[in-house]
């Protein structure tokens, strides 16, 4: 499965780059840009495993259905997987991590993510999606340097996927990102909104923790609440 490289870069920053010991977007970006020549990597796999039938699926809303059918399963095999099963963290949580690095000390220290998402799941507050840290100049740079590689990916796609892929502007045109409002990759200031939402997160997380304690105590015979 492949996603448009511009979107991939933005997601990769929030998944790995922002949580390095000394995060620096200007140093990180050129390294990631070089990694986007995906067709080279597919060629290497094909050379080493010539009998393997490679298929590339472009990211789209029907992805789970496409994978199920490709694996010979019923089209509804993944129907129970929620639409937000792999959702990224909202902007306020990511900025909170940047403001307080001890909450996310490294790229793979993501255990707290699931607890926070669960704690916020039923909260009425609307949260913005992950900040968009790719400016117009970088968007064009990504599209230009990945165009040849992206075009080559169609060799591993079905005829229909290749046709849809070629018509998807996210792979080819900066106009597809006109509605994205650029934000600086690094945390600039501790804003009022951050403090307000941090309080929401703290309350929600505390409620989740208390629910977990209550469940544990109910499941343990003879357990009793700890005296304060």
């Amino acid at each position: 499965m492949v996603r448009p490289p511009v979107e991939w870069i933005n997601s990769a920053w929030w998944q790995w780059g922002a949580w390095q010991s000394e995060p620096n977007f200007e140093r990180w970006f050129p390294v990631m840009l070089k990694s986007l020549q995906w067709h080279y990597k597919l060629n290497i796999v094909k050379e080493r495993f010539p009998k393997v039938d490679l298929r590339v699926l472009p990211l789209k809303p029907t992805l789970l259905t496409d994978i199920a059918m490709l694996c010979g399963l019923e089209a509804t095999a993944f129907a129970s997987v929620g639409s937000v099963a792999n959702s990224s963290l909202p902007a306020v949580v990511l900025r909170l991590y940047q403001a307080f690095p001890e909450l996310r000390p490294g790229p793979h220290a993501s255990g707290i993510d699931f607890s926070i998402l669960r704690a916020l799941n039923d909260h009425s507050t609307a949260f913005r999606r992950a900040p968009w840290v790719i400016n117009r100049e970088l968007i064009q740079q990504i599209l230009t340097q990945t165009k040849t590689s992206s075009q080559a990916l169609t060799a591993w796609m079905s005829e229909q996927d290749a046709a849809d892929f070629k018509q998807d502007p996210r792979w080819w045109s900066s106009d597809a990102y006109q509605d994205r409002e650029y934000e600086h990759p690094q945390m600039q200031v501790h804003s009022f909104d951050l403090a307000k939402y941090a309080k929401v997160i703290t309350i929600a997380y505390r409620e989740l923790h208390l629910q977990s304690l209550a469940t544990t105590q109910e499941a343990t015979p003879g357990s009793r609440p700890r005296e304060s």
Side-chain angles (χ1 to χ4, degrees), residues 57 61-86:
L57 300 176
T62 60
L63 179 64
L64 292 179
T65 299
D66 294 342
I67 291 176
M69 297 179 68
L70 188 62
C71 295
L73 304 173
E74 293 291 334
T76 57
F78 299 115
S80 61
V81 179
S83 60
V84 294
N86 194 36

Side-chain angles (χ1 to χ4, degrees), residues 55-60 62-63 66-67 70 153-154 156-168 171:
R55 279 287 301 276
V56 171
L57 300 176
L59 181 64
K60 54 184 178 179
T62 60
L63 179 64
D66 294 342
I67 291 176
L70 188 62
L153 293 177
T154 58
W156 290 284
M157 295 182 186
S158 69
E159 185 176 344
Q160 184 59 57
D161 279 342
D164 294 340
F165 175 77
K166 292 175 182 178
Q167 294 300 316
D168 187 342
W171 289 86

Side-chain angles (χ1 to χ4, degrees), residues 35-93:
S35 73
L36 293 176
Q37 302 301 315
W38 293 325
H39 78 290
Y40 285 130
K41 298 176 182 179
L42 287 170
N43 280 328
I44 292 174
V45 172
K46 191 64 177 177
E47 289 175 2
R48 292 183 179 178
F49 306 98
K51 295 183 180 180
V52 172
D53 182 20
L54 288 177
R55 279 287 301 276
V56 171
L57 300 176
L59 181 64
K60 54 184 178 179
T62 60
L63 179 64
L64 292 179
T65 299
D66 294 342
I67 291 176
M69 297 179 68
L70 188 62
C71 295
L73 304 173
E74 293 291 334
T76 57
F78 299 115
S80 61
V81 179
S83 60
V84 294
N86 194 36
S87 296
S88 61
L89 291 168
V92 65
V93 177

